[in-house]
Amino acid sequence: MKWQTMFHYHQWATQKLLDHVGSQGEAIYHREAKNSFPTISKTFSHILSVDYLWFKRLQGIEKPEWKEFHVSTVALTKQAFSDLHQEMDVFLSSLSEEDWKATINFTNIKGDPFSNIREDMFFTFVNHSSYHRGQVTSFLRQFGLSGIPIDFIYFAKETQS
């Protein structure tokens, strides 16, 4: 699968889920429940910070700084993702086939060294976000609300028509 397709799916799924969360009322965005993070807002904050971290690693920064984003509202979160993903799209579009196969050295948050090809790192970042988007759906269900279909097959259907 081309990186563009995977990245555009990631953007689509994130924005679609944020739209859905926002349509349920801002209060649920900060409501606590049982999950890896205590609220939907903290889950999206984590996703955004990790997207940023992987972006910096993909650029070849071995040990990037952790960055916190201002995500106090759904609208601010959507804008933060949009801004970051625009910047990522510009960088990723500049990479050649050879660049995608290049080995990148980086250190994880625990301080462990890694050496992976950029393509595998990119897949890891998209997969990480998918995992946490599933947790947002779990929050919604705990609140008696329904999730929305954001699997890749729905993206393909929606964007191909």
Side-chain angles (χ1 to χ4, degrees), residues 13-161:
T14 301
Q15 291 296 328
K16 192 146 186 109
L17 188 55
L18 279 163
D19 285 343
H20 181 66
V21 167
S23 75
Q24 304 301 309
E26 200 71 32
I28 69 153
Y29 190 59
H30 299 288
R31 187 171 165 193
E32 291 197 10
K34 296 206 181 289
N35 221 315
S36 293
F37 299 94
T39 64
I40 292 173
S41 63
K42 289 188 192 270
T43 303
F44 274 117
S45 176
H46 173 76
I47 297 169
L48 188 54
S49 292
V50 172
D51 276 14
Y52 174 83
L53 192 68
W54 278 109
F55 174 42
K56 293 303 176 186
R57 289 173 179 161
L58 288 165
Q59 290 177 313
I61 298 171
E62 191 168 335
K63 193 170 183 172
E65 296 285 322
W66 182 264
K67 181 177 179 180
E68 292 289 333
F69 289 83
H70 184 65
V71 295
S72 60
T73 68
V74 173
L76 287 171
T77 306
K78 287 177 64 175
Q79 189 60 55
F81 271 110
S82 179
D83 292 347
L84 177 60
H85 289 165
Q86 260 185 332
E87 192 178 343
M88 291 177 84
D89 203 11
V90 169
F91 170 74
L92 297 171
S93 295
S94 74
L95 298 174
S96 67
E97 270 300 310
E98 191 174 279
D99 292 330
W100 280 102
K101 302 293 183 196
T103 298
I104 307 291
N105 298 314
F106 66 95
T107 304
N108 72 6
I109 293 172
K110 295 177 183 176
D112 301 325
F114 282 82
S115 185
N116 295 90
I117 64 169
R118 186 177 273 121
E119 194 172 61
D120 291 348
M121 293 167 64
F122 177 79
F123 178 80
T124 298
F125 128 72
V126 172
N127 188 54
H128 170 268
S129 298
S130 292
Y131 173 79
H132 288 298
R133 283 190 297 265
Q135 290 184 320
V136 171
T137 298
S138 176
F139 273 112
L140 294 171
R141 289 183 180 142
Q142 288 179 63
F143 303 152
L145 303 167
S146 61
I148 56 167
I150 54 171
D151 292 321
F152 181 83
I153 201 75
Y154 291 96
F155 163 76
K157 182 179 179 181
E158 185 175 309
T159 58
Q160 290 173 3
S161 55

